[in-house]
Amino acid sequence: MNLTVLDHPLAKHYLTVLRDRDTEPEVFRAAARRLTYSLVMEATRDLRLDECPVDTPLEKTTGYSLTPVVAIAVLRAGLGLLDAVVELIPSVKVGFAGVQRNEETAEPIEYYFKPPDLAEASVLILEPMLATGGSLSWAVRKVIDSGATDVRCLCVVAAPEGVNRMNREHPTVRIFTASLDRDLNDRFYIQPGLGDMGDRLFGTT
Ligand code: URA
């Protein structure tokens, strides 16, 4: 299985803040950003590097520079992870993927897709809630069709239903999450989950 579940006390702490129904949007946004630092560190653990010489104050040694990274924020909840990605990888190029879900079937309905050049890049898809997997699978298909070959997904919480769908439809794509939760309810929300990520980020509950 191409799933990595973070095992870090800070990630567990910030996930708990996100899960808490009483967490206000301002604190929620900060916790999402802080948790994303851990997701980014884990997802980029084996990122390709270019070697480059560097002069320390004492001598010349080998340094490393990042190869191109693209982040695709799945609107709108993916925006909650974007600040942390940009802060850790300032050279990142950012694209956006707009998808609505059909409330009855939970299948994705595309309304916007604008990626930067993906050909040589490692692509991080920011989709915080991996529920049925419909949106994430759609976003992965879009970036692959646009030329991406190295695709990694950052999800705050994942449900087994979504992970299984990703394994069926995109078995080589890696998923990084802070928690593999129990299941989905009849409205396709993750349980125990944290509610509607977009509403909680943007105070629209
Ligand atoms: N999207 C959310 O914001 N929350 C869920 O639990 C599932 C999908």
Side-chain angles (χ1 to χ4, degrees):
M1 173 172 304
N2 257 325
L3 178 72
T4 302
V5 181
L6 294 183
D7 183 18
H8 195 288
L10 291 179
K12 289 190 205 310
H13 167 71
Y14 288 120
L15 178 60
T16 304
V17 175
L18 294 175
R19 287 198 196 278
D20 186 340
R21 62 184 300 158
D22 293 328
T23 299
E24 297 291 340
E26 189 179 343
V27 177
F28 190 93
R29 283 193 290 271
R33 178 167 40 82
R34 291 172 180 146
L35 175 55
T36 305
Y37 292 136
S38 306
L39 285 172
V40 173
M41 295 301 276
E42 195 58 41
T44 56
R45 183 180 283 283
D46 64 348
L47 210 61
R48 269 183 307 113
L49 292 170
D50 286 332
E51 276 193 11
C52 56
V54 58
D55 293 320
T56 79
L58 303 176
E59 62 181 42
K60 198 181 272 300
T61 187
T62 305
Y64 302 91
S65 62
L66 287 176
T67 53
V69 178
V70 164
I72 301 288
V74 179
L75 300 173
R76 69 185 160 147
L79 296 175
L81 313 191
L82 190 55
D83 283 355
V85 175
V86 171
E87 181 153 356
L88 284 178
I89 312 173
S91 60
V92 69
K93 294 199 167 65
V94 180
F96 297 92
V99 63
Q100 257 176 311
R101 70 173 173 176
N102 177 317
E103 292 302 331
E104 271 150 36
T105 63
E107 282 307 300
I109 306 168
E110 170 180 342
Y111 64 87
Y112 187 77
F113 183 68
K114 194 155 176 61
D117 184 16
L118 301 176
E120 298 296 319
S122 298
V123 178
L124 306 177
I125 298 188
L126 315 182
E127 168 58 307
M129 306 302 282
L130 175 52
T132 63
S135 304
L136 186 60
S137 183
W138 165 81
V140 168
R141 170 57 45 215
K142 294 294 286 188
V143 299
I144 289 174
D145 289 349
S146 303
T149 53
D150 173 5
V151 184
R152 306 152 193 235
C153 306
L154 275 56
C155 305
V156 171
V157 179
E161 291 86 337
V163 171
N164 290 339
R165 178 169 179 166
M166 289 296 293
N167 268 331
R168 279 195 312 276
E169 298 181 4
H170 303 288
T172 61
V173 168
R174 284 174 290 167
I175 299 165
F176 299 86
T177 187
S179 176
L180 179 60
D181 274 12
R182 191 180 65 246
D183 59 10
L184 301 179
N185 69 9
D186 56 5
R187 293 174 53 230
F188 310 110
Y189 277 85
I190 299 174
Q191 303 183 125
L194 50 81
D196 187 301
M197 179 88 180
D199 280 346
R200 299 206 58 201
L201 278 168
F202 299 114
T204 48
T205 37

